[in-house]
Amino acid sequence: MAVDIQPACLGLYCGKTLLFKNGSTEIYGECGVCPRGQRTDAQKLCQPCTESPELYDWLYLGFMAMLPLVLHWFFIEWYSGKKSSSALFQHVTALFECTMAALITLLLSDPVGVLNIRSCRVLMLSDWYTMLYNPSPDYVTTVHCTHEAVYPLYTIVFIYYAFCLVFMMLLRPLLVKKIACGLGKSDRCKSIYASCTTSRFSQCCRRSAEACYSCYDLLVRKKRLLVLFSHWLLHAYGIVSISRVEKLEQDLPLLALVPAPALFYLFTAKFTEPSRILSEGANGH
């Protein structure tokens, strides 16, 4: 009986692409990089990605989707100033831009036309860094087998960011020009380009910048409450992402800690208020 002996396929992510299939007959090509939308299996054969993303994959995509939105909101607040009455409209526009970008990205992804994607299951950490695992059989020649083993978790994010940039450049300048009359001429577009960080860092900076030292100061302006609830939502999202919703009875009580940083700040800010410290120092206390 003749046995077709082929050279071993070296490397962790090198595989053989299917060239021809007729019934039970399959012919594979030489060992190399797998096409986009495929990854190697245990037999070093390139197989199409046909699975659906897991919950943790969706949480990762959700974080990457919220990142530009949070940056937009941060810089809109940073450059809007107290005299601007258009910050809320810019916030809504930024939310609309990112939402439209996410929907279009999902609709254009495989399978086209539905709000779902097919993906390859992430098996290990190295799946994200296939470029580091190109083999060198003779320590001279490198066989390049870099491909998106976590398809489409890499490329879909960049496509989404591209749509976010397009919508931002098309919609935001029109809105700022028509509505943002409270800003100076040179400051109107700064929030647009500054956004091209984390919830805890921005919350602390905002509370300090606004000199918000009591619950009354927080409640007197609705915009402050909107920003605070946005930070709480992001903090809760992070907790859910870490827990992966595998043990709800153990992890969900941690959501009670979401308002803890803000409450701690409000209850202790009066003791560290700069003006009070300076006045006590001047009085010799």
Side-chain angles (χ1 to χ4, degrees):
M1 179 180 64
V3 179
D4 184 14
I5 301 178
Q6 297 184 1
C9 195
L10 302 177
L12 189 59
Y13 295 100
C14 295
K16 300 176 182 179
T17 305
L18 179 64
L19 300 179
F20 176 78
K21 181 176 182 180
N22 185 9
S24 59
T25 303
E26 297 181 348
I27 299 178
Y28 288 85
E30 297 181 355
C31 185
V33 60
C34 291
R36 185 172 184 267
Q38 299 184 20
R39 69 165 297 169
T40 56
D41 59 9
Q43 287 73 40
K44 295 294 184 179
L45 303 177
C46 296
Q47 300 292 346
C49 301
T50 57
E51 299 177 339
S52 297
E54 295 180 336
L55 173 62
Y56 195 68
D57 297 332
W58 284 115
L59 291 172
Y60 156 77
L61 292 176
F63 171 80
M64 300 305 290
M66 288 191 299
L67 183 60
L69 178 61
V70 172
L71 291 175
H72 283 318
W73 284 349
F74 175 80
F75 286 109
I76 288 172
E77 286 294 317
W78 185 271
Y79 289 109
S80 64
K82 296 182 179 180
K83 298 180 180 180
S84 175
S85 60
S86 66
L88 180 60
F89 294 98
Q90 294 186 64
H91 284 312
V92 174
T93 302
L95 177 60
F96 176 76
E97 294 166 4
C98 294
T99 302
M100 290 300 299
L103 292 176
I104 293 177
T105 301
L106 289 176
L107 291 174
L108 293 180
S109 301
D110 191 18
V112 179
V114 297
L115 294 176
N116 199 3
I117 57 177
R118 64 177 183 89
S119 67
C120 287
R121 186 68 55 83
V122 180
L123 302 178
M124 45 190 172
L125 182 62
S126 60
D127 291 346
W128 294 90
Y129 310 101
T130 57
M131 73 291 293
L132 303 178
Y133 295 89
N134 292 323
S136 299
D138 54 2
Y139 299 99
V140 176
T141 305
T142 301
V143 181
H144 295 280
C145 297
T146 301
H147 65 282
E148 192 177 12
V150 294
Y151 173 88
L153 301 184
Y154 256 135
T155 53
I156 196 173
V157 173
F158 293 112
I159 295 173
Y160 165 73
Y161 286 167
F163 279 118
C164 284
L165 179 62
V166 170
F167 287 134
M168 181 186 69
M169 299 304 295
L170 291 178
L171 300 179
R172 196 84 61 81
L174 297 177
L175 176 71
V176 171
K177 182 178 180 181
K178 296 294 184 181
I179 301 177
C181 300
L183 297 175
K185 183 177 180 180
S186 61
D187 293 334
R188 290 183 178 180
C189 294
K190 285 185 177 180
S191 64
I192 300 176
Y193 302 106
S195 59
C196 295
T197 203
T198 63
S199 62
R200 299 273 64 80
F201 174 77
S202 59
Q203 182 178 149
C204 293
C205 291
R206 182 165 182 81
R207 296 281 78 77
S208 300
E210 290 185 342
C212 181
Y213 299 125
S214 67
C215 294
Y216 175 79
D217 294 334
L218 180 63
L219 296 174
V220 73
R221 293 179 60 186
K222 295 181 179 179
K223 190 171 71 171
R224 291 179 179 178
L225 282 177
L226 178 62
V227 173
L228 179 63
F229 289 146
S230 299
H231 285 108
W232 284 358
L233 178 62
L234 294 176
H235 195 184
Y237 186 91
I239 293 177
V240 173
S241 299
I242 294 175
S243 67
R244 301 191 184 187
V245 198
E246 293 176 349
K247 298 180 180 179
L248 292 177
E249 67 281 359
Q250 297 181 10
D251 298 326
L252 288 187
L254 294 175
L255 295 178
L257 298 176
V258 169
L263 296 177
F264 177 81
Y265 177 86
L266 291 175
F267 291 143
T268 60
K270 60 183 179 180
F271 301 109
T272 58
E273 184 179 354
S275 59
R276 176 179 177 178
I277 296 175
L278 292 176
S279 62
E280 291 180 352
N283 294 331
H285 295 290

